[in-house]
Amino acid sequence: MTTAIPGFDYRRVTVADDVTLSVAVGGSGSPLVLLHGFPQTHLMWRHVAVDLAAEHTVICPDLRGYGASDKPAARDAGTYAKRTMAADIVTLARELGHPRFALAGHDRGALVAVRAGLDHPEAVSQLAAFDVLPTLDMWDVLHGAGAAVAFHLYLMAQPPGLPEQLISGSPDAFFGYFLDAWTRDQAAIPPTVRAEYLRASREAVPSIVADYRASAGIDVTHDEADRAAGRRLAMPVTVVQQDWGAALGYDAAALWRAWAPDLVHHTTSAGHFMAEEAPEEIAGVLRTLVTR
């Protein structure tokens, strides 16, 4: 591996018949699982994980379809449903000896974390989501010219074929665009880490697209069913976001509170990749969350 989280052990854990996840584990104490976003790997947690490992057993997997984890072909809509990916994480933690754990996710990982909290409340003790909205709300607030900021969501929502072909034609330009556009402090993602993100994403185009495609299809169906049933997150929830609500005209905290009654909501001055730009802030948020 070109880069790794210092002091963490790396292992592979089978979580489904056809899926083994790569995971970095460090520290000791109560378990905390950290899920990465796009277009990244578990390495986005490298600063936060080392900090929190002083007090916690910190578990940082690559999600199904990303990084060094397995990337099964999307046999059907469920292969990359957040429900399936959440089940991976619950199984992973259990296999590592942690049937109940605190869970935090950034970006795509936050959507997996939310689904884990809804589907497995007995397993998730506290939950943090960084810089996303719940899937249904995300689609609802994207309208008009402002939706252009999320062009990649619409591209990867298309049927199999064209999105994969277009992105594979110039993957470093595509994935690198987001690493640049979404970062306020470019030094937060040094060249070696950027190169690892690009390499990992370049090798995972079909599965990354399948993950996003699920969020325009089966994930919406699952969330609509939960909303209709009045199902909400039962555990303490902390959300940290950029102030997209002010830019696009919505109340982010109110949208989250409809899903998470026990909510603490913050905005940050850091960019999207806040665990890398403001690791002390994010580690502090998580320390506070696990005491609730």
Side-chain angles (χ1 to χ4, degrees), residues 4-292:
I5 298 178
F8 274 51
D9 295 326
Y10 281 75
R11 62 193 77 176
R12 296 185 65 81
V13 178
T14 298
V15 296
D17 289 344
D18 59 348
V19 177
T20 298
L21 300 186
S22 175
V23 57
V25 182
S28 61
S30 61
L32 175 58
V33 178
L34 305 177
L35 306 180
H36 67 86
F38 162 92
Q40 299 171 292
T41 69
H42 74 285
L43 287 172
M44 64 156 284
W45 296 109
R46 60 196 178 278
H47 305 305
V48 173
V50 170
D51 188 346
L52 293 175
E55 304 144 35
H56 296 279
T57 299
V58 182
I59 300 166
C60 301
D62 286 337
L63 294 168
R64 154 192 305 238
Y66 289 82
S69 290
D70 286 354
K71 305 168 183 65
R75 296 182 304 275
D76 53 43
T79 304
Y80 287 93
K82 301 309 150 299
R83 173 158 288 160
T84 305
M85 297 172 78
D88 288 348
I89 300 307
V90 172
T91 300
L92 169 70
R94 186 173 62 246
E95 290 294 314
L96 294 174
H98 307 292
R100 187 166 170 82
F101 53 92
L103 179 61
H106 175 260
D107 188 82
R108 308 304 295 172
L111 300 181
V112 176
V114 168
R115 177 44 59 191
L118 290 167
D119 286 0
H120 305 277
E122 75 292 343
V124 180
S125 56
Q126 297 96 1
L127 191 151
F130 298 115
D131 220 30
V132 295
L133 287 175
T135 300
L136 284 183
D137 301 297
M138 173 188 72
W139 290 115
D140 285 346
V141 304
L142 293 174
H143 50 79
V149 301
F151 75 93
H152 61 300
L153 299 178
Y154 295 92
L155 171 62
M156 290 190 276
Q158 304 310 308
L162 184 62
E164 292 88 343
Q165 182 178 355
L166 292 176
I167 295 167
S168 295
S170 192
D172 287 5
F174 180 76
F175 296 114
Y177 168 82
F178 301 102
L179 293 173
D180 294 336
W182 293 349
T183 307
R184 293 184 182 175
D185 177 9
Q186 298 296 325
I189 303 179
T192 53
V193 174
R194 177 189 172 89
E196 178 64 14
Y197 290 161
L198 292 178
R199 182 202 62 77
S201 298
R202 187 188 314 131
E203 295 176 359
V205 171
S207 52
I208 290 174
V209 173
D211 167 33
Y212 272 84
R213 184 175 289 122
S215 285
I218 194 168
D219 294 343
V220 170
T221 300
H222 291 158
D223 284 5
E224 286 175 337
D226 283 338
R227 176 170 285 176
R231 192 172 296 116
R232 299 194 290 178
L233 294 163
M235 65 290 299
V237 175
T238 295
V239 173
V240 182
Q241 298 181 276
Q242 298 179 89
D243 199 4
W244 282 108
L248 296 177
Y250 62 87
D251 184 340
L255 294 177
W256 270 106
R257 195 165 286 110
W259 291 96
D262 186 358
L263 175 72
V264 173
H265 187 278
H266 301 286
T267 56
T268 180
S269 60
H272 178 66
F273 301 113
M274 56 190 66
E276 291 166 292
E277 293 192 45
E280 292 183 1
E281 175 186 353
I282 298 306
V285 164
L286 291 173
R287 281 194 171 94
T288 299
L289 171 65
V290 298
T291 65
R292 286 169 57 198

